[in-house]
Amino acid sequence: MKNTIYLIIFLSIITSKVVSQTTDRLPCIDKKFSIVAHIVKDSLGKTGYTTAQIQKDVDALNKNFAPICVSFEICEYRYIDNFLYLEVDVNNQWKEMQVLYNAKDRINIYYVQKILAPVGVGFAGLGEIVNVNKSGIVIGIPGESTLSHEMGHYFGLEHTFETKHGAELVNGSNCATTGDLICDTPADPNGIISLSCQFISMNKDANGQYYTPLVNNIMSYYLPACLCKPGFTHQQYKKMAKTYLSKPGMW
């Protein structure tokens, strides 16, 4: 009788684990997205980008999005012979570029020389994958982590150090409503790391606890110094999939 009880308990534990793993399994979008890469030329007709360089970044992008069965391919390179779009402001040139050059039903990525506003190496509208014909991504400085980072925004992810929703506590008690609104990305003060990618900031949260962020998370600003194993977390993948699947009948 005792052995029977132990067996029942053991089977219950195993069943519980299997159910838990099944319900928490990452969704498989099973989609290949087509990219049109727009490369802006300078006044001499030259560009600061090579197709090989861009393809390398897309290869890394495919690796980073593979866990949710998403891949990307460059279906076309287009060159923009207008040096006035070399430096882009989201409130000025960017609006014009989308109207003039966006390809329908494609992820439009623009490669420019400099991003004036918002200042950075790239930008993308938050969650704009669901509005693909009226949006796009701009890259100012190429890089494997840059493209994956901006595509993360495009699929709905915020920075791990986001503060507009409030400061996230180290103990995670408010993780669902503050920071990046994702609970398996630890609170991140966007602090200092060593050359060996160790977080060495002495900042503390409101409770006086030290931060231990994921310095290799693609949505942080610690890359590319910590390119060893960049990645997204389980819940980040789930959020990206949910963003795309939130709009039925997508292309």
Side-chain angles (χ1 to χ4, degrees):
M1 181 67 178
K2 184 182 291 185
N3 289 338
T4 302
I5 294 174
Y6 286 152
L7 179 60
I8 293 173
I9 293 174
F10 174 76
L11 290 175
S12 296
I13 292 173
I14 294 299
T15 302
S16 176
K17 287 184 177 180
V18 171
V19 170
S20 176
Q21 290 172 358
T22 301
T23 55
D24 201 34
R25 184 178 298 166
L26 287 175
C28 179
I29 293 178
D30 191 23
K31 173 76 175 179
K32 178 179 284 187
F33 294 90
S34 295
I35 292 172
V36 173
H38 305 265
I39 305 173
V40 182
K41 294 182 178 180
D42 63 20
S43 58
L44 299 177
K46 298 180 179 180
T47 71
Y49 301 87
T50 66
T51 56
Q53 182 181 46
I54 293 173
Q55 183 59 57
K56 183 181 178 182
D57 295 347
V58 172
D59 290 342
L61 183 66
N62 284 330
K63 180 179 179 181
N64 291 328
F65 275 76
I68 51 174
C69 312
V70 166
S71 63
F72 305 85
E73 65 175 354
I74 300 174
C75 62
E76 187 179 358
Y77 288 96
R78 296 184 181 181
Y79 293 88
I80 299 176
D81 291 299
N82 190 337
F83 67 92
L84 295 178
Y85 295 127
L86 275 176
E87 298 187 351
V88 178
D89 184 315
V90 69
N91 295 312
N92 294 305
Q93 295 91 342
W94 178 225
K95 293 182 178 180
E96 298 174 7
M97 293 165 73
Q98 293 174 89
V99 172
L100 293 173
Y101 304 112
N102 264 17
K104 187 177 181 181
D105 295 338
R106 299 289 185 266
I107 295 179
N108 292 272
I109 303 179
Y110 292 82
Y111 291 85
V112 302
Q113 188 178 83
K114 186 177 182 180
I115 298 174
L116 301 175
V119 177
V121 298
F123 71 79
L126 187 66
E128 285 296 327
I129 183 62
V130 300
N131 192 29
V132 70
N133 286 321
K134 295 182 180 180
S135 63
I137 296 172
V138 178
I139 301 295
I141 298 178
E144 296 177 19
S145 61
T146 301
L147 183 56
S148 292
H149 180 101
E150 298 308 330
M151 194 64 74
H153 285 317
Y154 205 58
F155 274 75
L157 297 183
E158 300 190 55
H159 291 127
T160 55
F161 54 88
E162 184 59 64
T163 58
K164 69 182 179 184
H165 307 293
E168 184 177 354
L169 296 173
V170 170
N171 64 19
S173 59
N174 63 349
C175 62
T177 57
T178 60
D180 62 355
L181 309 179
I182 293 178
C183 286
D184 67 351
T185 55
D188 184 356
N190 195 26
I192 303 171
I193 57 174
S194 67
L195 294 177
S196 59
C197 287
Q198 297 296 314
F199 186 74
I200 57 176
S201 174
M202 299 303 290
N203 291 344
K204 298 179 183 179
D205 72 357
N207 291 332
Q209 291 184 290
Y210 289 105
Y211 292 95
T212 56
L214 295 175
V215 298
N216 67 335
N217 192 278
I218 289 174
M219 300 313 295
S220 74
Y221 267 8
Y222 299 112
L223 297 172
C226 301
L227 275 173
C228 179
K229 292 182 179 180
F232 296 109
T233 66
H234 188 85
Q235 289 182 26
Q236 283 178 320
Y237 278 122
K238 290 182 71 174
K239 183 169 184 177
M240 288 192 289
K242 182 179 180 180
T243 298
Y244 174 74
L245 296 171
S246 67
K247 188 173 181 179
M250 281 284 291
W251 51 289

